[in-house]
Amino acid sequence: LGERLLHDRRQAGTQRDVLIRIVRRNSASAFGKRHHFEEVRDVADFRSRVGLSDYDDYLPDIDSIARGERSVLTAEPVLRLEPSSGSAASSKFIPYTSSLHEEFKNGLSAWIFDLFKSYRRLFSGSAYWSVSPNSPKEWPGSKVPTGFGDDAGYFGYWEQRLLEEILAVPAAVSQIEDIDAYRYVSLLFLLRDSDLALISVWNPSFLTLLLQKVPEWMPRLLRDIKEGSITNPGRIAPDLKEQLIRRCYADPKRAEYVVNAWGSSTFYQDIWPKLSLISCWADGHAGKSVAGIRSLFPAVPIQPKGLIATEGLVSFPLHGKTGSALSICSHFYEFIGIDSPCLGRKDIKNVKLAHELEPGKRYSVVITTGGGFYRYQLQDIVEVTGFEKQCPLLRFISKEGKVSDMVGEKLNELHVAATVGEALGRYGLDPGFFLLAPEYGASGVPFYVLFLGFDSTGELDKNILAGLREEVERGLEDNYHYAHAVRLGQLSPVRLFIIDAPDKAELVYLDACGKKGQRLGQVKPAALDLRAGWSEVFAGSLLS
């Protein structure tokens, strides 16, 4: 007990120091002045002056930052606005400062240290850190740049220099906008590399979808490996292509090795004998996609990633531990108790500090960061799986509220309702029932279906429905992560389902919810349902 109390005091002291550092650093900002940061002496002072917040609370300030105003949320300048998915809004833009960058490094450096300490073979090999193609998403008229471009942007200067030396796929690949060209060049560099020891991606389907192209492109890939060329299937800017070709060289021996291994049930393990670890999301909905990676790499360990949001880093994985360690030296954390796990109800009167967490309990995460978000509700639910030297170990459970997240797209019901409602209004359509829900197609690539129940069959003009589908898809793609998933092929575009007997659609829905365990009196009208399989519940036709 005495040791536990000592660790609790140390953890509480560390977190207090982190908070006071953030408050002192930003007391001269407009936000700090409004909330009298200069008077904050401890955690209680801070909580009494700053209430719980969400993204919408910061929209006016972020707009000011985008227009070029200084010292708005933080005293230090904002380096960039990083796009992410929103709740009520289709996309969010998160301010990044040098302090926030440093806070990310604190957690990521601890993870990298544990990673290389636990997997010694990583020292002698290269690594693939997912580098996603550039996104055009920007804050209109912003004077502040947006986006990191690749995952290495989360690290500091020297870490980036080190990563560049060991990267199997150059970070410059992220500048390729054509998705086929991006995939091809990524695969080319991966297949060329016989020393690959680590694969780090976010969603596991990102990797499986990338490797699905290998059979189709194998003859071209082998020729490019042999000749040191790049004959990509899509467009690459000439100067960028020249830059990438300089990283290639003729390697006929590697081409011969790859072709000899082709057809083996252990092909990827044969061509990458040093591969020691795959790091990816494995909690929540992402866990369903891990099986695809296991089938391709049956002998390679898979390490679940910690909880990392665009707004901040919550936890990082530790070798051999169930759950990820709270990154107590990164940000200041608070946790709102979940008093009804099934409904996700939060007990906002029961806000805990890191050293007050209890094993087995679930909490909603609140963070205060050097980026200017104070007591910010991440909308992420975690469960305490245990402790490592009294540091909480956390497992991600789900996003809060009605958010569908099959592959990282984070579609929120408020955004879906607004998108579908506007599209229907634009075409003068007024269905008696509509519902957006996920489906898993025969191809294995999931997609969303908009179920529609029209009272009049006269409204079912094919051209109008085709336009409606395109309009809804465009609206959904206002969500940064949804559009990104569609571009990568992790999601197929939305499809329409016309319900027969539309006057009974609501009853069919209520009956199905009852069979799924919900009390009929508590079933609310929904624009988004998180469960798949509604095409088997409703009678009707799925339009191609």
Side-chain angles (χ1 to χ4, degrees), residues 393-412:
L393 298 175
L394 309 175
R395 179 170 66 94
F396 173 74
I397 298 299
S398 68
K399 297 294 294 183
E400 287 183 37
K402 189 68 74 68
V403 176
S404 186
D405 193 15
M406 291 186 288
V407 297
E409 71 279 15
K410 303 180 182 71
L411 276 184
N412 182 277

Side-chain angles (χ1 to χ4, degrees), residues 75-95:
E76 62 185 314
V78 172
L79 303 176
R80 61 185 68 247
L81 295 173
E82 178 76 357
S84 183
S85 292
S87 300
S90 58
S91 285
K92 298 182 291 187
F93 287 83
I94 312 303

Side-chain angles (χ1 to χ4, degrees), residues 359-370:
K361 296 292 183 66
R362 292 185 175 185
Y363 301 90
S364 176
V365 183
V366 178
I367 61 174
T368 295
T369 78

Side-chain angles (χ1 to χ4, degrees), residues 247-511:
R247 297 286 299 269
C248 299
Y249 58 88
D251 194 348
K253 288 186 177 180
R254 178 60 178 172
E256 182 180 2
Y257 187 91
V258 172
V259 75
N260 288 338
W262 182 242
S264 166
S265 60
T266 56
F267 170 70
Y268 293 110
Q269 292 178 190
D270 292 342
I271 65 170
W272 296 318
K274 292 184 179 180
L275 187 59
S276 302
L277 184 72
I278 297 174
S279 169
C280 65
W281 287 336
D283 295 326
H285 292 291
K288 298 177 182 178
S289 303
V290 172
I293 289 183
R294 293 195 191 280
S295 67
L296 296 173
F297 303 92
V300 179
I302 297 174
Q303 184 185 66
K305 285 190 180 295
L307 175 53
I308 303 178
T310 310
E311 296 90 334
L313 185 152
V314 178
S315 63
F316 56 87
L318 291 175
H319 176 64
K321 303 300 179 182
T322 300
S324 298
L326 179 66
S327 188
I328 59 171
C329 294
S330 293
H331 317 302
F332 176 69
Y333 303 96
E334 297 172 85
F335 299 85
I336 305 174
I338 303 296
D339 63 4
S340 176
C342 293
L343 299 177
R345 275 203 303 258
K346 294 189 293 188
D347 181 4
I348 59 174
K349 296 181 180 179
N350 183 23
V351 182
K352 303 281 190 179
L353 300 178
H355 67 280
E356 298 173 328
L357 300 185
E358 300 177 52
K361 296 292 183 66
R362 292 185 175 185
Y363 301 90
S364 176
V365 183
V366 178
I367 61 174
T368 295
T369 78
F373 280 8
Y374 306 96
R375 305 198 75 195
Y376 176 82
Q377 300 178 85
L378 270 180
Q379 308 293 327
D380 287 322
I381 297 175
V382 297
E383 181 179 85
V384 180
T385 61
F387 297 87
E388 174 65 14
K389 296 181 180 178
Q390 305 310 319
C391 177
L393 298 175
L394 309 175
R395 179 170 66 94
F396 173 74
I397 298 299
S398 68
K399 297 294 294 183
E400 287 183 37
K402 189 68 74 68
V403 176
S404 186
D405 193 15
M406 291 186 288
V407 297
E409 71 279 15
K410 303 180 182 71
L411 276 184
N412 182 277
E413 184 172 32
L414 293 175
H415 176 213
V416 168
T419 294
V420 176
E422 289 172 6
L424 290 169
R426 194 163 289 120
Y427 281 90
L429 300 175
D430 186 22
F433 177 89
F434 78 81
L435 176 74
L436 189 80
E439 286 284 336
Y440 295 90
S443 66
V445 179
F447 55 95
Y448 284 86
V449 175
L450 178 59
F451 295 88
L452 295 163
F454 290 101
D455 296 329
S456 171
T457 56
E459 295 178 336
L460 304 184
D461 181 274
K462 290 183 178 180
N463 292 329
I464 290 179
L465 291 177
L468 174 66
R469 190 208 66 78
E470 292 177 1
E471 190 76 25
V472 171
E473 178 64 16
R474 277 196 296 271
L476 295 179
E477 290 191 10
D478 281 342
N479 176 316
Y480 169 76
H481 286 304
Y482 177 92
H484 189 58
V486 172
R487 288 186 68 223
L488 292 178
Q490 293 173 300
L491 286 175
S492 293
V494 69
R495 297 174 66 180
L496 304 184
F497 186 104
I498 305 304
I499 299 173
D500 293 339
D503 57 324
K504 297 181 180 179
E506 189 68 34
L507 291 176
V508 171
Y509 179 74
L510 289 173
D511 182 59

